[in-house]
Structure formats: structure tokens, C-alpha cells
């Protein structure tokens, strides 16, 4: 039996209505809960993004830059509360599909430093997995030892979890089919079916030097976060979580449309 | 300026409808949020109980005895989820009254051993207080290093927090006026206005030897939990959180009907 955990990321763009504040996409969430229930993946961790719950508030109160003035305090409280509401909706859908989902609040056990995870005690997540629970974490407003607070993205979180838990694979569910050479809506965009850590490093260098706009629909930043995990040996696949049966296939290791990311 | 924190416990019996499953008492919760907002207490921590959210599920799945069989796994997930729903209702009411409330999930950072808190990293709560947030914790289903899991009562939690945070005082809001000599509904019951740690120890010895039914409406067990905190020097007061303006008075150190508990 393979004891390495699987991490499933559910992107905020897939599980919420982007343009409607604090509106969950219940159809997608219920479909995903059903697919996760069918797949019966052992040692599964779910991490979800914030979508229209977390992002507008984080932006309104300029939380990503850290503490500037006391008016942000209520903003951080509101942002964290919005995330717990979305988390509650997802955990509830999972439990209704008989998945023993247990929310684990990142802000209750993670502190960042300059926006990067500094302190993360993995003990509780490990114990939950061992007992058969499905821990459900999320991108969150967290305390930061330098900036006061920071926004911890779900993407940073999955990369860290994948390393410390020695995960076998990370499945990243988004609202497009994978990583494209250009904005997915552009007719010239080509889906990259496989990319390696070395190739990702080049993308990262390019992004760092040129300060160019991310033309890949925001996906480049997300996958650059994954590099340390990929170099650690974790296999990642980006799939479309809004297309029926896609996440189930990915969880069951069946062939699926998407972008595979491996070390070599 | 006094930098010692104040801990406010909101009993499940006060903030939920005892006989209706998963039903919050919104009138009381909104009143309390308004009173807490008016009091403007610095360095405040709120801990709430489970009432009709947590208790029926914990009982249904026999969670208090720890892990017996796999059917309890979904039960623990359900119990934790119910507690996060109640917590969300309270945090939302507090934020609407402009209190920068941030939920801190006990199950995300506390592990018990044999039902008693074994591991509690207080770093995040301390940082939140320092920045001006109001951390909101709750009685929760948590992992237990001996029994698999356990129910951590809000009462055990406040006593531990009071000690590790060196709190000045603990205000315990319940649905009766304080600690009585008998069941409060009994006409012979007398409200005890002041009790000391020594007197509590005698009550504890008596309870231990006689295994008698708790005739004080369940209050004896709650205040026995407080003994270590009281002996540490924390001052506690039990008040009726369902009577208007009572919690505000207690927070503002104004005279209030209730039971004062002190070291000597």
C-alpha cells in the first residue's frame, strides 16, 4: 500500500463565481465532493483558494503588503471570516458525501515571515491523515513575523505541505485545462502537456528579469510556487476542476487532459 | 496600562437554544456583540461553548470516550463542522459590531492526552492580542495522543489559556446568575457571591469521594476546571450572559450580580 499522501488543490476560480462577491459555485462544489467521494483516495489533503471570498477583501484592505495602519485590522478579521465561510461550505459538501473532512485553519497554526511560511507544525495534519480524516486547508490571512500579517496563498501552502508530508502528488484543479503558452482564451495558446522543473526554473528566471506581465492567465506564478516541491520529487498535474469527472480521473490516476509537471 | 488579558467565556447554554439542534440564540449573540463592542476591553479573548451545536453530535457518536471504531470518524468531522458553524455565527456578529474578531480553531493547534491539553502553542493567540485582534476560540473535538480524539471543553480551555497568558481575569457568562448551593431552579438554592480556591478544592474532594450527582446544575464541574487558574492568581466571575448589560458591566469592572472566585 502506498502511504504517501495526495494533495488536491481546488482553485478559487473553479469553486466560486469570480465576479460575484462571496458567492460559491455550489454546482461545481457538489460535483467535486461527489467525485472525491467516488475516488476514495487514501491519505488525501484538500487545499482550496479564496476566489471571490478572500481576494476582494484582501485587495480592499491592501493586506498583501502587510500592516500599514490600524484600519486594516478589521479588514483582516473580515478576510479570515470570509475564508472560513467558504471553507465551511466546502467541508459541509464533503461531509454530505460521507467524506470525513476536517477543516484545519492555516491562520491557527502557521506564521509567515515576509510572506513566506516560517513556522508550520505538521503534527495535527499528519495525525488526521493517519486516522482516516481528510484535512481541508485553505489560502488564508495569517500572522507574519515581519509584516504583521500576510496573505498565504493556497499555492504556497500546497508546495510546503507536499515537501513536509513527502506527498506523492499534487493535483491542481483550476478553471482551464492546464498550463498554456499564452492566455488560454487566445487562439494561439497551446496547452503544455508536460513540463519539467528545469523548464519551470527558466520560466522563473524570465519572469524575474523581464518583470513582464504574466501572459499565461496567472498560471505562471502558481506553478513557479511549486518548483521546490517538484524538485523534491513530487509529481504535479494541473487539470480543469470544472469539467465533469476530471478530478476523479486525476485522483484515480486515470489518463486525463492537463499539464503534468515532473522533476525530469 | 494593564497589559494582562481578559478571557470571556460564552457558555453554550446562553448562546444556543438548548433543546433545538444547531440553533443559535441570535438575540443573545447580537446583544453580547453589542455589549462587548461598548466595553472596548483591551486584550480580550473570547471562548465559547458548543451548546446545541456540539453536544448532541458528540453524544451521538460517543466522542467523549475517544476512538472506539471507524464509524466515529465521520461523527468527529460532523461535530467539528457544527462547532465551526456556531463559531462563524459568533465571529460574524462580532465583526458586524466592529470588533476585529479572528477565529482560532483549537483542533488546528491543540492536542490532548487522555482528554487533557498536552500541547498548546500560544504564539498565535499572543500575537493576535498584541496587534489588537480579539481571538475567538471554542470547545472543540480535538486529536488526543492516547484516545485518538477527545472533546476539549471550553472550560478546560479557558483555565489553560488563563494560566499560559497570565490573564488578569476570566468572565464566565452562563444562563443563570452564578454558582448556587443547589439546582438554581430549586427554591432553597442560594447564590454564592464569593468562593475561594480552598473552598473549591473541598468541593472537588467531596465530588471525587462521593461520586454524587452534581446538584448545582452542572456548574460544579465547570468551576472545578478553574481551580489551577484561580490558584495561579486569576480572578474569575460567573455572570448571567442572558441578562442585558451584565457582560458589559463585568467587562468594565462595574458591580454585577454573580459569583466571584478568587485565590483567597
Amino acid at each position: 500500500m502506498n502511504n504517501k499522501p495526495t494533495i488536491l488543490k481546488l482553485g478559487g476560480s473553479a469553486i466560486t463565481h469570480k465576479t460575484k462577491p462571496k458567492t460559491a459555485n455550489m454546482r461545481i462544489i457538489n460535483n467535486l465532493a461527489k467525485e472525491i467521494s467516488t475516488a476514495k483516495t487514501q491519505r488525501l489533503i484538500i487545499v482550496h483558494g479564496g476566489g471571490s471570498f478572500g481576494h476582494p477583501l484582501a485587495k480592499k484592505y491592501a493586506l498583501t503588503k502587510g500592516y500599514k495602519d490600524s484600519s486594516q485590522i478589521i479588514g483582516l478579521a473580515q478576510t479570515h471570516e470570509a475564508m472560513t465561510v467558504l471553507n465551511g461550505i466546502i467541508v459541509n459538501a464533503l461531509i454530505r458525501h460521507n467524506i470525513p473532512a476536517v477543516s484545519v485553519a492555516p491562520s491557527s497554526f502557521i506564521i509567515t515571515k515576509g510572506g513566506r511560511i516560517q513556522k508550520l507544525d505538521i503534527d495535527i495534519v499528519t495525525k488526521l491523515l493517519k486516522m482516516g480524516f481528510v484535512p481541508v486547508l485553505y489560502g488564508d490571512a495569517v500572522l507574519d513575523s515581519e509584516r504583521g500579517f500576510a496573505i498565504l496563498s493556497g499555492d504556497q501552502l500546497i508546495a510546503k505541505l507536499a515537501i513536509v508530508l513527502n506527498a506523492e502528488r499534487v493535483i491542481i484543479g483550476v478553471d482551464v485545462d492546464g498550463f498554456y503558452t499564452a492566455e488560454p482564451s487566445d487562439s494561439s495558446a497551446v496547452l503544455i502537456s508536460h513540463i519539467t522543473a528545469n523548464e519551470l526554473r527558466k520560466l522563473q528566471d524570465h519572469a524575474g528579469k523581464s518583470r513582464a506581465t504574466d501572459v499565461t492567465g496567472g498560471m505562471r506564478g502558481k506553478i513557479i510556487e511549486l518548483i521546490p516541491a517538484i524538485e523534491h520529487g513530487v509529481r504535479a498535474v494541473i487539470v480543469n476542476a470544472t469539467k465533469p469527472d476530471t478530478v476523479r480521473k486525476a485522483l484515480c490516476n486515470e489518463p486525463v487532459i492537463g499539464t503534468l509537471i515532473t522533476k525530469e
Side-chain angles (χ1 to χ4, degrees), chain A:
Chain A
M1 187 184 153
N2 185 348
N3 269 321
K4 285 188 171 186
T6 296
I7 299 172
L8 172 63
K9 164 90 197 290
L10 301 177
S13 60
I15 56 173
T16 72
H17 293 286
K18 272 185 206 176
T19 54
K20 297 182 197 167
K22 294 192 193 178
T23 310
N25 190 326
M26 290 312 301
R27 185 179 60 82
I28 299 291
I29 291 172
N30 284 323
N31 284 350
L32 288 169
K34 196 176 171 185
E35 291 182 26
I36 295 164
S37 176
T38 306
K40 297 196 199 315
T41 310
Q42 300 295 305
R43 298 176 69 80
L44 177 67
I45 301 160
I46 296 173
V47 177
H48 64 81
S52 67
F53 282 76
H55 292 256
L57 285 166
K59 195 177 171 186
K60 178 180 172 186
Y61 291 101
L63 299 184
T64 49
K65 303 279 179 191
Y67 182 82
K68 302 290 171 204
D69 65 73
S70 60
S71 71
Q72 293 171 302
I73 296 293
I74 192 78
L76 185 128
Q78 285 179 18
T79 306
H80 176 62
E81 194 238 350
M83 286 308 303
T84 64
V85 171
L86 178 57
N87 181 251
I89 290 168
I90 291 165
V91 168
N92 182 270
L94 293 167
I95 287 177
R96 278 189 284 103
H97 287 83
N98 217 29
I99 299 159
V102 172
S103 71
V104 182
S107 55
S108 298
F109 80 107
I110 296 174
I111 292 178
T112 57
K113 183 179 179 178
R116 308 301 301 174
I117 294 171
Q118 178 184 28
K119 185 176 161 181
L120 175 150
D121 181 348
I122 205 64
D123 205 13
I124 286 177
V125 171
T126 305
K127 281 192 166 67
L128 285 170
L129 284 173
K130 201 174 168 187
M131 292 183 71
F133 292 105
V134 175
V136 184
L137 291 81
Y138 45 98
D140 199 1
V142 301
L143 294 181
D144 187 285
S145 58
E146 277 178 9
R147 301 177 185 172
F149 48 74
I151 299 296
L152 169 64
S153 73
D155 299 301
Q156 185 186 155
L157 186 53
I158 55 173
K160 185 74 175 184
L161 289 173
I163 294 168
V164 296
L165 291 169
N166 201 21
E168 188 195 3
R169 61 201 175 126
V170 174
I171 298 165
I172 299 162
V174 289
D175 65 342
V176 292
D177 284 348
F179 183 49
Y180 283 83
T181 53
E183 176 71 41
S185 58
D186 188 326
S187 61
S188 71
V190 175
L191 180 69
I192 301 167
S193 62
H194 185 196
I195 189 167
T196 65
N198 267 344
E199 290 164 343
L200 281 180
R201 282 274 178 219
K202 284 178 199 162
L203 267 180
Q204 184 184 29
D205 292 345
H206 178 72
K209 279 178 200 156
S210 68
R211 295 193 172 277
T213 313
D214 187 349
V215 295
T216 63
M219 194 72 80
R220 189 177 63 194
K222 286 176 183 295
I223 65 173
I224 283 173
E225 278 286 5
L226 283 174
I227 294 176
I230 303 297
E231 289 180 340
H232 184 78
V234 180
R235 192 162 47 89
V237 60
I238 304 172
V239 298
N240 194 330
T242 68
K243 287 198 174 162
D245 213 33
T246 305
V247 163
R248 186 202 62 75
K249 279 182 186 159
L251 286 170
C252 295
N253 275 316
E254 294 175 15
V256 66
I257 292 169
T259 300
L260 181 69
I261 311 172
T262 57
K263 191 172 177 180
E264 276 156 13

